Amino acid sequence: HILLDGRDVPETSALTYVDEIENFMNDLNDDSFDARIASGGGRMQITMDRYEANWPMVEEGWNIHVHGKGRQFANATEAIETYRNETGVVDQDLPGFVIAENGQPVGLIEDGDSVILFNFRGDRAQEICRAFDEGEEFDKFDRGNKPDVNFAGMLQYDADLNIPKRYLTEPPKIKYTLTEQLVKEGINEYAISETQKFGHVTYFWNGNRSEKFSEDLETYVQVDSDVIPFEQRPWMKSAEITDKLIEAIESGKYQFLRTNYPNGDMVGHTGNLEATIIGVEAVDLALGRILKAVEKVNGILLVTADHGNADEMYDKPKEGEKVHKAKTSHTLNKVPFIVYGADVKLKHDDDMGLSDIAATVCQLLDVKPNENWRPSIIEEMK
């Protein structure tokens, strides 16, 4: 059951992977063994919702993978090529499909089967895990006749919530996080984003933990994302996030506040240049408002990113090609690190990265950094 990408790899590279795995399975198959692709779809259309933004997307994937309810094709290549020819859709947005013979799905998930979710990253894996793992308490959608299967994830995606219950390998143990250190120092924190990136300022930020280190010192605020293609509303929830963030800044209750504006990433992944420009402009407007709030409270603003995306919207044509193809994957360009409101001299070192920011934050807050961290990006505070 294949979930196709086209976001972190070239936008129409699915057939490369389909060919590879089908050739591999063909070498395994004999009279007593029959491995094949049974269903699939794009990761932004079925199965792989995150942060409970769109459970119907998971329900559609469940019905396709488990019950074989979906448009039928003879094989995955036919499905992908048909959808592309009909609508020009890229891999991430491919509708779901079911592989069938004589009108019958070739690979329903049934009682006694083993199901392994080969996904390393946790955010888009958890909801489908819950659909397989949970009993009668599951209330997100009607699973129909739920098969009794032996389900496991590649690893445990959330140890706090025990998702999934069975897994193939231990997840990485992330310790010495910035929040742990700030909680020890009694720093009051505030984290906000819209649904699409809420886990990035909470779950991922705290080392793949869904639970807080301190209920008293950590405040989480989620703004519900619109369930709509990102290129149709590229401003997303930047204004609403900014309204609440400014209110929190001006309240004086918090010493460290963080947010993530998803626009450059989520809209950039669509490959739509016009929409991405609008998305970036929306974030520019938001930052302008935040600057004024930071100045008002005599605060310090740090601006950075974890990777590029909106900065490079087209791939260079390959030899013999004339058309620039939309680039939907992340870029490898360096990201900025900007300090506003503090008179500091920053290091200029190619070895600097995200892992240097924790000590930088502590230095600006005048608290002791963790001894296991990399050093601060600040060379001198004037």
Side-chain angles (χ1 to χ4, degrees):
H1 303 272
I2 58 175
L3 294 161
L4 301 168
D5 190 354
R7 286 169 71 87
D8 296 317
V9 295
E11 64 171 354
T12 53
S13 56
L15 291 177
T16 300
Y17 304 108
V18 167
D19 287 345
E20 285 182 359
I21 195 160
E22 286 190 331
N23 289 335
F24 174 76
M25 291 189 297
N26 287 337
D27 289 340
L28 297 176
N29 290 343
D30 56 28
D31 292 340
S32 63
F33 189 80
D34 181 16
R36 65 173 88 182
I37 294 171
S39 73
R43 61 179 274 200
M44 297 304 291
Q45 286 295 311
I46 64 167
T47 311
M48 302 197 77
D49 179 45
R50 64 180 178 189
Y51 311 141
E52 302 193 55
N54 187 5
W55 273 104
M57 178 175 162
V58 187
E59 179 180 12
E60 183 175 355
W62 174 271
N63 286 327
I64 286 169
H65 307 315
V66 176
H67 301 305
K69 295 180 179 178
R71 185 174 174 183
Q72 296 185 352
F73 295 90
N75 54 61
T77 298
E78 179 186 82
I80 294 166
E81 290 180 339
T82 299
Y83 282 140
R84 285 182 184 171
N85 291 334
E86 287 178 352
T87 64
V89 68
V90 296
D91 295 345
Q92 61 181 315
D93 296 322
L94 281 162
F97 56 85
V98 175
I99 307 307
E101 286 182 354
N102 301 317
Q104 297 300 313
V106 300
L108 299 179
I109 296 177
E110 299 175 318
D111 290 349
D113 286 348
S114 293
V115 180
I116 300 173
L117 179 60
F118 282 98
N119 209 65
F120 178 80
R121 182 166 145 173
D123 53 347
R124 293 190 182 276
Q126 293 189 32
E127 292 172 47
I128 191 64
C129 287
R130 289 178 57 189
F132 276 106
D133 265 356
E134 294 182 11
E136 293 182 359
E137 74 277 13
F138 184 84
D139 61 359
K140 301 303 180 182
F141 58 85
D142 182 1
R143 293 174 292 184
N145 184 21
K146 177 178 177 286
D148 182 13
V149 302
N150 188 21
F151 178 82
M154 175 70 81
L155 45 70
Q156 190 166 51
Y157 305 118
D158 192 317
D160 293 327
L161 299 179
N162 196 27
I163 301 174
K165 294 181 175 65
R166 291 181 292 271
Y167 47 95
L168 302 187
T169 186
E170 288 289 333
K173 303 295 184 184
I174 302 172
K175 52 187 179 179
Y176 311 130
T177 63
L178 176 56
T179 292
E180 288 178 84
Q181 194 71 12
L182 296 184
V183 164
K184 289 178 185 177
E185 298 289 340
I187 299 294
N188 206 348
E189 300 180 61
Y190 180 92
I192 183 173
S193 187
E194 63 177 276
T195 311
Q196 286 296 331
K197 292 291 184 180
F198 181 67
H200 288 60
V201 295
T202 55
Y203 168 80
F204 285 125
W205 183 276
N206 281 353
N208 291 358
R209 286 174 54 97
S210 59
E211 305 297 323
K212 296 176 182 177
F213 288 99
S214 169
E215 287 292 338
D216 295 331
L217 294 174
E218 293 182 80
T219 298
Y220 291 173
V221 177
Q222 176 177 321
V223 177
D224 291 340
S225 293
D226 292 322
V227 182
I228 192 170
F230 303 113
E231 68 272 19
Q232 293 182 20
R233 288 189 189 157
W235 47 88
M236 300 185 71
K237 294 295 183 178
S238 57
E240 292 88 340
I241 292 170
T242 306
D243 291 342
K244 293 180 181 296
L245 181 57
I246 288 174
E247 182 180 350
I249 291 170
E250 294 181 349
S251 74
K253 290 171 55 179
Y254 309 100
Q255 291 81 57
F256 181 64
L257 305 92
R258 60 183 180 268
T259 191
N260 183 311
Y261 288 106
N263 309 60
D265 187 35
M266 305 308 295
V267 186
H269 273 311
T270 69
N272 186 314
L273 176 60
E274 180 182 17
T276 303
I277 291 171
I278 294 171
V280 172
E281 289 175 340
V283 175
D284 283 345
L285 288 171
L287 285 175
R289 295 177 60 203
I290 291 171
L291 286 176
K292 292 179 180 178
V294 169
E295 290 173 348
K296 186 175 179 180
V297 300
N298 195 30
I300 299 170
L301 176 66
L302 306 180
V303 182
T304 191
D306 58 344
H307 55 71
N309 196 327
D311 52 316
E312 190 176 326
M313 293 297 295
Y314 292 98
D315 280 322
K316 292 181 179 178
K318 296 179 181 178
E319 187 174 347
E321 294 181 343
K322 295 182 179 180
V323 179
H324 286 71
K325 291 184 66 176
K327 184 182 181 73
T328 56
S329 60
H330 296 157
T331 74
L332 300 178
N333 297 325
K334 294 181 181 298
V335 301
F337 182 77
I338 300 166
V339 179
Y340 179 85
D343 192 5
V344 298
K345 180 181 178 182
L346 300 181
K347 299 173 184 175
H348 291 277
D349 186 338
D350 286 342
D351 194 36
M352 293 282 105
L354 293 179
S355 57
D356 300 277
I357 293 176
T360 309
V361 169
C362 284
Q363 186 173 355
L364 292 170
L365 289 171
D366 196 25
V367 301
K368 183 180 179 181
N370 188 289
E371 62 183 9
N372 295 283
W373 290 349
R374 286 171 54 89
S376 168
I377 298 173
I378 297 172
E379 185 173 290
E380 178 184 351
M381 294 191 68
K382 301 176 183 177

